[in-house]
Amino acid sequence: MARRPLTERSAQGWNQQPGRRMGGSQKRVYGKGSTASSRAVLSEQFLDENEVDQQNVQGGHGKAVSPLSSSLSSALSYTLSLEDGAKHVSPAPAGSVSEKGKEVQNLLVVDSTAATYISPLLAECDKPKGLYDFLTWAEKAAKTFKVTKVAEGSYGEVFKLEKKDMPSERSVPTPEHGQQAQGSSIFKLIPLRPKSSKSAKQTSLESLVREVQMLKLMDPVPGFARFKGLKVLRGSYPPSFGEAYYYHKARRPSDSQNPRPSTYRDKQLWALIEMDDAGEDLENLKSPSVYQIFDIFWLTCCALSYGEEEAAFEHRDLHIGNICIKPTTTRSSTTKTPANTLPDANLPPTTSFGRSSLNVTIIDYTLSRATTATSSSSSNEASSPNSSKSSSAPPVTTKPSIIYTPLPPNSSIFTQSTSRHPVPNPTLQRQNSTYRAMLRHAQSVEARSRAEDPSRENRKRDMWQRFMPRTNALWLAALLWTLLRRFEQGAERGGGSKSVGSGGNDDAGEEGRERLVLAGLRSLLDLLDGEEMLDSAGAVVLAAIERGLLQRRDWDGVRACLDGDADSGSCSATK
Ligand SMILES: Nc1ncnc2c1ncn2[C@@H]1O[C@H](COP(=O)(O)OP(=O)(O)O)[C@@H](O)[C@H]1O
Ligand SMILES: [Mg+2]
């Protein structure tokens, strides 16, 4: 089939078997063992850091053992009992707990009502699957980590925690801007809607569970966020996070619309999602260079095409706030052509990719759709090796399930308008029209499907369950439109193509080359916005190659960069 070439990956590259869906038992293993569970999880690291304190408490010189990874069955008996669905939980009996166990126990709170309510979310946590006391946890974390608010989400806040002895590294990426901070993580802090409330202003438990499941599912796919873990917390806003909130508010008042920290009371429940730092979102890239646009567009397209193949993934909300960029650390010689070896500018450029030294991460899957893995094993495998069952037992297959968010036609993303905005905002208009184009497409797919299969079961299906990867192509068109517009605005201001990462454009030859790449990008936008229905990110790649708008060599470079990110960390500075 035509999509096949997209899955051809080098032996050193991303070696997922083509056609296999990830997730569950089929998840790929990273070359360097960098799975979500083995990555440096900061939300627990400070317990190790404070080991000196523990040794003082114990008066011993014991070997360093992470309290959370040591055997804590007694200390955590009540949290574990939650996994068995127990409704009434009680702390471990006094006297049966080690000092280290006590340290963890001190972080956990017993609240059986809350625990029952949040049990679907606790099921997504690593052990201990308990409810943490926000104030105590944050107080301990603040001893080791500096807390900075980096962005405001639609429902929560996004913080960065970095080791206090690390230099701060959050700024607009430049080629010179090397390694990002090791020992830092991004934390999305989301207040949970109380059980008794139906307020649309707070996140429901179901949508949070979906977001975490989606993060886990997409974690191994190159170009998607690296998920590190989830904690559920209870309590009011801790001082360290509150200070970070107000510091950010003072500097960026327009990016501080969420309720103030004092709004939250001591019974407030929170989800804290830990991820690798994916850098800056594209909102911050005001005047992209031509080469930045080229790299960002094709890296995003490649990541989406991987997502389509591996998990039938559609993002459905891929505006520029949901794409992050960061500088790459090292580059293979095949992906970067030094400026002084450029070919004649009158010839078509042989290599355009890789000159911005940026890599891309797609984030925020709150509206996304994906299919989880199908895993099959024989029932014999599942039983004990000495089982007397015959090897001809039928295979046990877990049904794939679809993670998606229902989007009724009257939801605000489809109805919102920018007409009341005091200043026209074409970027927002394009974003809104992309949501509406997505809805129109979903409705036409639905109508076709019902005509073909009028069965009750098919009619009962929510249309957003379906895999309609044309939505990815629609968002790619919006991305390219937005980046080119910003380029033109930058050029009008006199800064556009000379911005960071342009790869240098001092001589006439280089300018000619840049003009060719720009013309190619404009033709690509015409293709994306044109009559031809490109029905997936994969189809965008194939159509662009066919029309000479993407060179094979560039596409290989794009894949090598993304695959390198997943396999060796060569494009990712935070691994
Ligand atoms: N892993 C990450 N690395 C860097 N920045 C991030 C990361 N996740 C989120 N952000 C920042 O936080 C903002 C809001 O996060 P997002 O997941 O998009 O939440 P929301 O669903 O509320 O839009 C993003 O636009 C981005 O600026
Ligand atoms: Mg977002």
Side-chain angles (χ1 to χ4, degrees):
M1 196 182 137
R3 272 172 55 196
R4 180 69 187 86
L6 296 177
T7 57
E8 285 169 10
R9 302 199 172 111
S10 68
Q12 279 97 33
W14 190 40
N15 53 8
Q16 174 75 20
Q17 283 180 31
R20 291 183 85 189
R21 292 268 150 86
M22 287 193 286
S25 58
Q26 292 181 4
K27 260 193 163 183
R28 72 187 276 273
V29 177
Y30 285 93
K32 293 195 173 174
S34 177
T35 59
S37 57
S38 71
R39 271 175 222 136
V41 176
L42 288 200
S43 63
E44 295 172 2
Q45 243 184 55
F46 59 85
L47 294 173
D48 285 332
E49 299 288 322
N50 294 340
E51 201 153 63
V52 179
D53 297 342
Q54 287 170 31
Q55 286 182 2
N56 289 341
V57 173
Q58 292 168 14
H61 312 278
K63 199 170 160 253
V65 181
S66 162
L68 292 186
S69 60
S70 62
S71 171
L72 294 169
S73 55
S74 58
L76 303 172
S77 61
Y78 89 90
T79 58
L80 296 178
S81 67
L82 287 172
E83 290 169 67
D84 305 329
K87 291 207 171 166
H88 301 288
V89 289
S90 55
S96 66
V97 185
S98 69
E99 290 301 328
K100 282 172 186 166
K102 274 185 198 157
E103 194 189 357
V104 179
Q105 207 174 25
N106 286 342
L107 293 176
L108 297 166
V109 281
V110 180
D111 180 339
S112 57
T113 314
T116 308
Y117 171 50
I118 58 164
S119 59
L121 201 55
L122 286 178
E124 300 298 331
C125 297
D126 283 336
K127 285 182 185 171
K129 293 177 186 287
L131 190 55
Y132 283 73
D133 181 70
F134 198 1
L135 284 177
T136 319
W137 177 85
E139 197 186 327
K140 270 187 169 289
K143 286 185 186 151
T144 310
F145 299 104
K146 182 173 159 235
V147 182
T148 320
K149 179 175 157 182
V150 296
E152 182 169 273
S154 25
Y155 290 101
E157 311 290 349
V158 181
F159 294 93
K160 179 172 180 169
L161 263 68
E162 54 195 322
K163 283 211 179 126
K164 281 187 170 159
D165 50 4
M166 295 297 298
S168 179
E169 295 256 6
R170 205 179 164 84
S171 59
V172 173
T174 68
E176 305 80 47
H177 183 99
Q179 194 93 351
Q180 283 195 357
Q182 302 279 343
S184 69
S185 279
I186 293 293
F187 288 84
K188 203 167 157 180
L189 178 69
I190 307 156
L192 276 173
R193 184 192 292 173
K195 192 179 177 192
S196 52
S197 163
K198 293 254 177 291
S199 161
K201 288 194 184 138
Q202 283 189 313
T203 308
S204 71
L205 200 65
E206 304 82 68
S207 74
L208 248 165
V209 169
R210 270 199 305 266
E211 183 171 357
V212 173
Q213 287 175 340
M214 192 68 93
L215 273 162
K216 288 181 177 177
L217 181 68
M218 301 313 289
D219 169 78
V221 183
F224 286 80
R226 304 277 86 92
F227 172 73
K228 287 179 160 183
L230 165 73
K231 276 197 164 30
V232 192
L233 309 154
R234 192 193 71 168
S236 45
Y237 229 89
S240 52
F241 282 67
E243 278 163 28
Y245 173 97
Y246 283 110
Y247 184 73
H248 182 87
K249 191 177 170 72
R251 289 171 66 225
R252 295 175 66 175
S254 61
D255 190 26
S256 299
Q257 309 293 323
N258 281 341
R260 289 161 185 272
S262 57
T263 318
Y264 300 102
R265 304 280 167 224
D266 55 358
K267 291 267 168 56
Q268 177 66 46
L269 296 170
W270 308 84
L272 189 71
I273 298 172
E274 182 175 351
M275 292 169 276
D276 267 3
D277 188 353
E280 294 270 339
D281 70 59
L282 289 180
E283 288 280 4
N284 297 297
L285 190 69
K286 300 292 182 206
S287 303
S289 73
V290 168
Y291 292 116
Q292 284 177 330
I293 298 175
F294 188 93
D295 289 2
I296 291 166
F297 178 84
W298 285 116
L299 285 165
T300 308
C301 186
C302 184
L304 282 176
S305 74
Y306 283 173
E308 288 169 356
E309 286 179 29
E310 303 305 332
F313 175 86
E314 285 172 66
H315 191 285
R316 296 183 177 173
D317 193 18
L318 199 55
H319 57 74
I320 52 173
N322 288 335
I323 299 172
C324 286
I325 47 170
K326 65 183 176 189
T328 57
T329 43
T330 55
R331 276 279 166 197
S332 77
S333 54
T334 55
T335 59
K336 183 160 187 178
T337 309
N340 58 7
T341 60
L342 289 176
D344 187 329
N346 295 321
L347 296 173
T350 51
T351 311
S352 301
F353 176 74
R355 295 167 57 85
S356 76
S357 300
L358 291 176
N359 207 354
V360 155
T361 305
I362 294 174
I363 59 165
D364 188 1
Y365 319 136
T366 16
L367 302 188
S368 303
R369 181 258 182 239
T371 307
T372 62
T374 317
S375 64
S376 80
S377 58
S378 80
S379 53
N380 211 30
E381 265 173 349
S383 61
S384 87
N386 300 327
S387 162
S388 58
K389 277 187 188 166
S390 107
S391 59
S392 60
V396 178
T397 307
T398 56
K399 256 182 92 183
S401 61
I402 298 168
I403 309 173
Y404 78 102
T405 301
L407 300 170
N410 62 354
S411 57
S412 59
I413 54 165
F414 302 126
T415 56
Q416 65 204 350
S417 142
T418 53
S419 59
R420 285 216 211 114
H421 280 234
V423 187
N425 184 337
T427 303
L428 208 54
Q429 280 164 4
R430 174 85 202 209
Q431 189 179 317
N432 289 342
S433 69
T434 306
Y435 290 121
R436 287 194 280 271
M438 213 167 67
L439 176 63
R440 280 195 304 278
H441 178 67
Q443 285 170 332
S444 74
V445 170
E446 176 73 0
R448 255 199 327 270
S449 163
R450 283 180 180 210
E452 280 164 19
D453 174 7
S455 70
R456 193 156 169 263
E457 203 190 328
N458 192 39
R459 277 185 290 122
K460 256 176 47 195
R461 254 179 110 184
D462 186 314
M463 70 179 179
W464 294 104
Q465 277 190 36
R466 297 181 199 282
F467 180 41
M468 307 171 285
R470 162 120 181 104
T471 64
N472 288 335
L474 290 170
W475 281 109
L476 283 168
L479 170 66
L480 187 55
W481 182 91
T482 307
L483 291 175
L484 283 172
R485 186 184 144 78
R486 286 193 166 192
F487 169 81
E488 274 141 25
Q489 287 175 321
E492 275 165 27
R493 287 194 300 267
S497 64
K498 291 193 200 304
S499 61
V500 285
S502 66
N505 64 347
D506 290 344
D507 56 40
E510 178 58 7
E511 269 182 39
R513 179 190 168 86
E514 226 177 278
R515 268 200 301 276
L516 280 175
V517 178
L518 182 59
L521 289 169
R522 286 184 174 139
S523 304
L524 180 63
L525 182 59
D526 290 343
L527 172 69
L528 292 169
D529 278 342
E531 292 295 298
E532 191 181 343
M533 278 263 282
L534 296 175
D535 59 10
S536 64
V540 170
V541 177
L542 293 176
I545 289 178
E546 226 167 69
R547 284 162 181 77
L549 299 172
L550 174 66
Q551 307 296 319
R552 196 80 236 182
R553 233 182 115 180
D554 282 328
W555 178 240
D556 291 343
V558 173
R559 291 194 311 164
C561 184
L562 272 193
D563 293 358
D565 175 31
D567 277 320
S568 64
S570 66
C571 281
S572 163
T574 53
K575 292 237 174 80

